[in-house]
Amino acid sequence: MKKKLIVANWKMNPPTLKQAEAIIRRYRDVSNLVVCPPSIFLGKIKLNNAKLGAQNCSWVDSGSLTGEISPKMIKSFGCKYVILGHFERRSIFGEDSKTINLKLKAALKNNLNVILCVGEDKLDDSYLIKQIKDSIKDVGRDLSKVIIAYEPFWAIGSGKACSPIIAENRRVVIKGVVNSKVLYGGSVNQDNYLDYSNFDGLLVGGLSLKPEFNSII
Ligand code: PGA
């Protein structure tokens, strides 16, 4: 996917800094790549051409929020991107589109690019459209720093990627709501990534930790 945006979402991996540094040494350091390590590693990951991203941030720049990390903090560590609204944040940590909307506005205020994840359990246009609209509420017309990542829930980490026909249908639905870049995410691997060439790029989890990742960037 040369020239397309490839986002590496490491999630809560790997368990040690030493292993994180080994993964980074392996990466092709190209400008269309965004690397999103766990936030505790952000200050240790050195990139030349690739960009740094965080996997989450708070909705305020500082305050009494034990355990949270603010958009200003990740910015000060060199982040240009932040992933917001990932399915795991929504389903495991109970984040709803209202919270994600607050986070998104705080990230944009800090001039960060937002990778806004949206998805669905079963195909449901109105559910998908509402998720997007609620998440970008009050942002205004300038969505140049908002990138949508379509990740059907069943495809995340399951090895069961979305069929290219359904993915294309969902891309068109999303484009009908926002004129933003749209990425595909969910069980992307070195054998299926070209199925999503209509998208503006990919959000990659598991594969981004493996040596084979280089073959798709
Ligand atoms: P996966 O994860 O590539 O391991 O399915 C994608 C994601 O959750 O962003």
Side-chain angles (χ1 to χ4, degrees), residues 9 11 86 88 151 155-159 185-188 203-207:
N9 176 15
K11 310 193 183 191
H86 190 279
E88 287 148 15
E151 298 202 299
I156 296 173
S158 65
S187 296
V188 170
L203 176 52
V204 187
L207 182 74

Side-chain angles (χ1 to χ4, degrees), residues 18-158:
K18 213 170 161 198
Q19 287 166 291
E21 287 168 340
I23 293 170
I24 278 297
R25 271 198 301 277
R26 234 169 33 213
Y27 272 13
R28 283 177 49 218
D29 191 352
V30 291
S31 60
N32 59 320
L33 174 65
V34 179
V35 184
C36 303
S39 52
I40 197 158
F41 298 150
L42 284 172
K44 299 286 185 183
I45 300 294
K46 302 288 170 242
L47 302 162
N48 290 317
N49 304 310
K51 315 290 182 297
L52 196 59
Q55 298 174 18
N56 185 24
C57 71
S58 179
W59 57 87
V60 283
D61 287 340
S62 63
S64 303
L65 291 170
T66 303
E68 285 292 279
I69 293 160
S70 87
K72 223 179 196 56
M73 290 170 185
I74 61 172
K75 187 85 193 292
S76 77
F77 270 55
C79 282
K80 299 264 186 282
Y81 289 79
V82 61
I83 299 172
L84 292 176
H86 190 279
F87 171 62
E88 287 148 15
R89 300 296 318 170
R90 293 178 191 262
S91 62
I92 303 171
F93 299 97
E95 289 187 13
D96 57 14
S97 293
K98 207 169 159 194
T99 308
I100 292 156
N101 175 249
L102 292 175
K103 293 181 171 200
L104 183 137
K105 287 187 285 193
L108 292 179
K109 204 180 76 197
N110 280 284
N111 220 18
L112 289 158
N113 294 287
V114 174
I115 297 151
L116 171 64
C117 299
V118 296
E120 57 201 341
D121 217 357
K122 51 184 181 352
L123 303 187
D124 183 342
D125 287 11
S126 53
Y127 178 83
L128 188 59
I129 292 167
K130 184 169 171 6
Q131 222 182 117
I132 299 169
K133 286 191 172 165
D134 288 350
S135 303
I136 61 170
K137 193 165 172 264
D138 300 330
V139 170
R141 294 171 71 86
D142 184 9
L143 293 170
S144 54
K145 284 189 161 294
V146 178
I147 297 155
I148 308 283
Y150 174 67
E151 298 202 299
F153 300 162
W154 73 85
I156 296 173
S158 65

